[in-house]
Amino acid sequence: VVSTQSTGDDLFNVIFTPNEGITSLPPCVKFIMDFLDGEAAKHQILDPETVHTWKNNALPLRFWISVIKSPDVVFDVRKNNNIDSCLSVIAQTLIDETTRKEQA
């Protein structure tokens, strides 16, 4: 039996941990993040929440959530209702963890 917790932890480690020996973001991800920072500066957007939202929508929400929720689009796999439910939990966890929250 594979737990959703361990599967989710493993997935998030793969998504957010650079390869061994690499201390920076992949060039394409760095380009996107630098571009968004540049656009914020160019348009004098000083609210860090706005820039965070742009970056969050660019990578975790637009790319990773799509892959997690619809692996059948990328891979030749079928997903049943049980798998779909588990993937929904993992996707929602990623959404929750990449959304800024007020500290209690």
Side-chain angles (χ1 to χ4, degrees):
V1 175
V2 176
S3 76
T4 303
Q5 175 70 43
S6 67
T7 302
D9 289 345
D10 292 345
L11 177 65
F12 298 150
N13 282 331
V14 168
I15 290 172
F16 294 113
T17 303
N19 291 335
E20 190 172 322
I22 298 175
T23 57
S24 63
L25 294 171
C28 58
V29 174
K30 182 162 179 18
F31 174 82
I32 291 170
M33 299 304 159
D34 289 347
F35 172 78
L36 293 172
D37 285 336
E39 288 298 299
K42 177 177 154 183
H43 297 286
Q44 300 176 344
I45 296 171
L46 304 175
D47 179 21
E49 184 69 28
T50 299
V51 179
H52 172 79
T53 300
W54 289 356
K55 291 178 179 182
N56 194 43
N57 284 336
L59 192 60
L61 296 182
R62 296 289 177 208
F63 178 75
W64 285 113
I65 296 302
S66 296
V67 171
I68 292 168
K69 294 271 301 162
S70 303
D72 48 318
V73 172
V74 179
F75 305 105
D76 186 21
V77 296
R78 291 183 197 201
K79 58 178 189 174
N80 60 35
N81 289 338
N82 291 337
I83 296 296
D84 188 49
S85 296
C86 291
L87 293 174
S88 292
V89 168
I90 292 170
Q92 188 60 51
T93 301
L94 179 58
I95 291 167
D96 292 345
E97 291 305 313
T98 57
T99 302
R100 287 191 183 220
K101 304 175 206 100
E102 292 293 321
Q103 295 295 324

